[in-house]
Amino acid sequence: MKRFFTLFMTFLACAVVANAQATVESATPQEQVKFANEVKTEKAAPAFKSEAQLKAEKAAARKERNTIEFNATLNGSLSHFNNHWRKVNGNTNSLTGIGNILFTHNYKKGKFTIGTKVTGKLGYTYSFLDESEGESDVTKSQDEWFIQTAPAYTLSKSWNVGGSVSLRSQFANGFNGDDKLTSQGFAPAYLTLAAGFTYVCPNAKFPIKINVSPISMNATYVTSEKVRDFFYAEKFGTTAVADLTPDQKNTPYAYGLTLQNGVQRYEGGSSIQIDFDKTFGKKGVFRYRTTLYSFYGWINQVSQQSASKKNGITYESIAPTVRWENTVDIKATKYFSTQLYFQLYYNKAQINKVQTQVVLGVGLAYTFKNK
């Protein structure tokens, strides 16, 4: 009986174990937990920039916004005739030297631009004379400096609105054939203020600018008393100021000034200026630039007509002032060039005739551009 009971218990234990194993194996396994790194990683920018990097960025920004050009030339010419030629034709042996500088700076940020232009020229001629002709002489052939700045705001691809301020005078004293002082620094000097619209051709192959200023002002200064005295003697002789008639006191006598003006004269009116600057050839061998400027003082004209009717004083009618400058540069090499300059000038206040000059020079040249 014990044996039978032991076998029965052993069989029952084996059945229980087998049943447990079957249950575990047939159970649906649970899903395994998966781990994923969903945090996005990005390369973090450095919190600071090096000093060298900041300087490089500032330099790049300055170069992008600023366009600079500097050009300097030193030209000369020599004329020589032998004694037999001079006896027949009356020519004079001479040596002429002329220095020219041109500086332009254009700044642009967004729709705002400002352009600055500085020019200067100074030249002298030395005449070789024989004892029978008198002493050798040095005369001034070219003398002028010019500064202009023009801020503007871009309205469209071709049109800007803005203004300009310019000042023009000379470096050295000028004398006539009798060694009388005829010009000096700020005698004369010309100040121009203008406000209006500028058309800029969008085609880079035809770089023309046309500025139309409905409101413009021209001022003339003759600050030297010696210069004014010279022109007074040329116009009125030895007549005292007190003995001049009202009409004579309102007659231009020194670079457009009248005795009523004193040392300065202001004219109000309108102006137009056309600029063209084109370089030809891949190496910039040929360059032509021209400026045509005209001013008409219609405001003064209306004022004078009104004053004439009121007090009976006669005023000279005002005519447009025209100044047309042309420069041709031909570069033979990097430092050797030929320059041809032509100017036409009409200012009735000075002389009721058209003035022209032509200068041809060959010499040294230096040009710097940051772009």
Side-chain angles (χ1 to χ4, degrees):
M1 191 66 182
K2 285 184 179 180
R3 253 185 224 179
F4 175 79
F5 182 77
T6 301
L7 289 172
F8 177 79
M9 293 301 294
T10 302
F11 175 79
L12 182 61
C14 290
V16 172
V17 172
N19 184 49
Q21 290 178 351
T23 302
V24 173
E25 290 178 358
S26 61
T28 303
Q30 296 182 0
E31 293 182 1
Q32 296 181 355
V33 179
K34 296 181 180 180
F35 297 93
N37 184 10
E38 296 183 355
V39 179
K40 296 182 180 180
T41 59
E42 295 181 357
K43 294 182 178 179
F48 64 92
K49 295 182 180 180
S50 66
E51 184 177 353
Q53 186 177 0
L54 290 173
K55 288 184 178 180
E57 291 179 355
K58 290 181 179 179
R62 284 196 299 268
K63 186 175 181 180
E64 180 67 24
R65 295 173 181 174
N66 296 272
T67 302
I68 299 173
E69 178 185 0
F70 176 77
N71 180 271
T73 62
L74 180 61
N75 299 324
S77 62
L78 174 66
S79 300
H80 181 269
F81 310 91
N82 66 8
N83 293 333
H84 304 295
W85 182 286
R86 284 186 289 136
K87 286 180 180 180
V88 175
N89 299 283
N91 299 99
T92 302
N93 296 332
S94 62
L95 174 65
T96 300
I98 301 174
N100 295 274
I101 61 170
L102 168 66
F103 173 80
T104 60
H105 173 241
N106 292 287
Y107 174 83
K108 183 176 182 180
K109 184 177 181 181
K111 293 187 176 182
F112 176 76
T113 62
I114 181 169
T116 303
K117 181 180 180 181
V118 179
T119 64
K121 58 182 65 179
L122 181 63
Y124 285 90
T125 298
Y126 180 77
S127 301
F128 302 91
L129 302 177
D130 293 338
E131 294 181 358
S132 59
E133 299 173 322
E135 296 181 357
S136 298
D137 191 22
V138 178
T139 57
K140 186 173 63 172
S141 59
Q142 295 280 318
D143 187 9
E144 181 183 85
W145 57 261
F146 173 78
I147 302 175
Q148 182 184 53
T149 183
Y153 182 82
T154 303
L155 297 177
S156 65
K157 188 176 180 180
S158 302
W159 287 95
N160 300 332
V161 61
S164 66
V165 181
S166 65
L167 181 63
R168 184 191 309 271
S169 189
Q170 59 271 325
F171 295 100
N173 295 342
F175 300 89
N176 68 349
D178 298 327
D179 291 334
K180 297 289 184 65
L181 188 65
T182 59
S183 63
Q184 208 172 25
F186 276 84
Y190 303 97
L191 175 67
T192 301
L193 303 176
F197 300 90
T198 302
Y199 169 78
V200 181
C201 182
N203 186 358
K205 294 183 179 180
F206 191 69
I208 188 171
K209 295 182 180 180
I210 303 175
N211 175 267
V212 180
S213 299
I215 301 298
S216 182
M217 186 274 290
N218 272 9
T220 303
Y221 303 92
V222 184
T223 58
S224 173
E225 185 177 359
K226 292 182 179 180
V227 173
R228 296 196 305 272
D229 289 344
F230 168 79
F231 285 100
Y232 181 91
E234 289 286 307
K235 188 73 174 181
F236 306 112
T238 58
T239 305
V241 176
D243 297 332
L244 297 178
T245 65
D247 289 347
Q248 288 176 319
K249 292 180 180 179
N250 283 282
T251 300
Y253 76 104
Y255 297 103
L257 264 68
T258 67
L259 292 173
Q260 297 286 2
N261 296 141
V263 300
Q264 55 198 10
R265 177 188 181 187
Y266 296 95
E267 292 181 276
S270 303
S271 66
I272 181 172
Q273 181 170 323
I274 302 175
D275 293 293
F276 181 83
D277 190 345
K278 174 71 173 178
T279 300
F280 299 86
K282 294 182 180 180
K283 296 184 179 180
V285 176
F286 185 87
R287 180 180 183 180
Y288 171 65
R289 60 182 187 269
T290 181
T291 298
L292 174 62
Y293 174 81
S294 180
F295 171 82
Y296 177 56
W298 59 270
I299 296 178
N300 284 60
Q301 182 69 35
V302 173
S303 176
Q304 289 182 5
Q305 290 176 352
S306 177
S308 179
K309 293 179 181 180
K310 184 177 181 180
N311 53 34
I313 298 177
T314 302
Y315 295 86
E316 288 193 8
S317 61
I318 297 176
T321 298
V322 179
R323 184 185 180 98
W324 184 31
E325 296 180 83
N326 299 268
T327 304
V328 176
D329 289 315
I330 303 174
K331 280 192 174 182
T333 64
K334 185 177 180 180
Y335 300 106
F336 188 77
S337 69
T338 300
Q339 186 177 88
L340 174 64
Y341 176 79
F342 168 76
Q343 181 185 144
L344 181 149
Y345 184 57
Y346 176 74
N347 187 348
K348 182 182 177 182
Q350 291 186 9
I351 182 173
N352 196 16
K353 300 290 182 181
V354 176
Q355 305 174 58
T356 62
Q357 63 167 309
V358 180
V359 180
L360 175 63
V362 179
L364 302 175
Y366 171 76
T367 301
F368 166 79
K369 296 181 179 180
N370 70 330
K371 292 183 181 180

